[in-house]
């Protein structure tokens, strides 16, 4: 039996590292464990199993796979993390409650639709504030500052975030290039990357295969990578040096980009402030 992780961050890393070797049922549990930390801390085994759509014994088997005596031992890590943070309602539970209220409303007037999106985006932004770590933001700014050039790729739904980053970084005097794949030249565009550059890759489910390929080839070129995605199990996460896991709002199967764009703006403006501060020091 593998030795059990002593911290939640170590457990998360172990789950991501071993995810592909898990059975389909255990992968189902792994995804839920990573995406619902508050539920893991507060809910009973029966509730967690119901929400995972597995048997309680599968949760126990998952815990033992990672070296714990049982599910309760694993849950202690989630409880400990919650005690060290400011208490907040479970994001997953709040989304479930919101979706039930919104779904019960039936056909809505345009103003009602706007209110649904606004309320859901507020939840997503609150989650962004509580989930993105200070150290990760600071590290991302350092990576942008240290790169000879920043290349950005984000296709389909992710394209607005990618195009904003390229536009905004250029306006704060950072060499930035959007890999947009015009005329089918995405692979050729990506060959410009060197080991001194930084790739920012944005992709959400269903993940764009082209973005995954660019991340893989960039890793081979030994350039650094920041991923903006929706899960630690995203195919662009494993090869990245830094991962921002973003839960954008979703209303009636339409997904927003509010939280992702907020993160993008925060990175650009923080970089600009950092450059201004360095300029004053000189």
């Amino acid at each position: 039996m593998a030795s059990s992780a002593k911290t939640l961050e170590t457990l998360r890393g172990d789950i991501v590292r071993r995810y592909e070797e898990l059975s389909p049922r255990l992968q189902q549990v792994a995804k839920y464990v990573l995406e619902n930390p508050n539920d893991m801390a507060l809910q009973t085994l029966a509730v967690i199993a119901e929400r995972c759509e597995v048997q309680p014994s599968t949760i126990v088997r998952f815990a033992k796979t990672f070296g714990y005596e049982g599910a309760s031992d694993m849950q202690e890590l989630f409880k400990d993390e919650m005690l060290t943070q400011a208490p907040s309602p479970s994001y997953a539970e709040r989304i479930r409650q919101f979706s039930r209220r919104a779904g019960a409303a039936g056909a809505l007037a345009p103003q009602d639709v706007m209110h649904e999106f606004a309320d859901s985006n507020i939840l997503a932004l609150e989650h962004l504030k509580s989930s993105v770590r200070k150290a990760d933001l600071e590290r991302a700014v350092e990576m942008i500052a240290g790169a000879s050039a920043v290349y950005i790729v984000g296709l389909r739904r992710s394209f607005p975030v990618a195009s904003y980053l390229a536009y905004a970084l250029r306006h704060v005097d950072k060499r930035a290039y959007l890999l947009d794949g015009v005329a089918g030249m995405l692979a050729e565009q990506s060959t410009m990357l060197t080991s001194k550059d930084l790739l920012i890759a944005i992709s959400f489910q269903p993940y764009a295969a082209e973005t995954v390929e660019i991340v893989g080839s960039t890793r081979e070129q030994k350039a650094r990578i920041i991923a903006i995605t929706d899960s630690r199990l995203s195919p662009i996460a494993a090869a990245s040096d830094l991962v921002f896991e973003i839960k954008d709002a979703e209303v009636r199967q339409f997904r927003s980009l509010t939280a992702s764009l907020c993160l993008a703006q925060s990175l650009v403006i923080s970089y600009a402030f950092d450059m201004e501060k360095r300029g004053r020091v000189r």
Side-chain angles (χ1 to χ4, degrees), residues 162-181:
S163 58
Y164 169 79
L165 277 168
Y167 165 83
L169 283 170
R170 288 172 191 155
H171 276 267
V172 293
D173 298 325
K174 186 68 187 183
R175 291 174 59 210
Y177 302 97
L178 178 63
L179 304 180
D180 54 15

Side-chain angles (χ1 to χ4, degrees), residues 213-232:
E213 290 173 7
I214 294 298
V215 168
S217 62
T218 300
R219 182 81 284 160
E220 292 175 2
Q221 293 165 10
K222 302 190 184 306
R224 304 183 81 186
I225 304 169
I226 295 175
I228 300 175
T229 188
D230 53 8
S231 171
R232 286 174 176 248

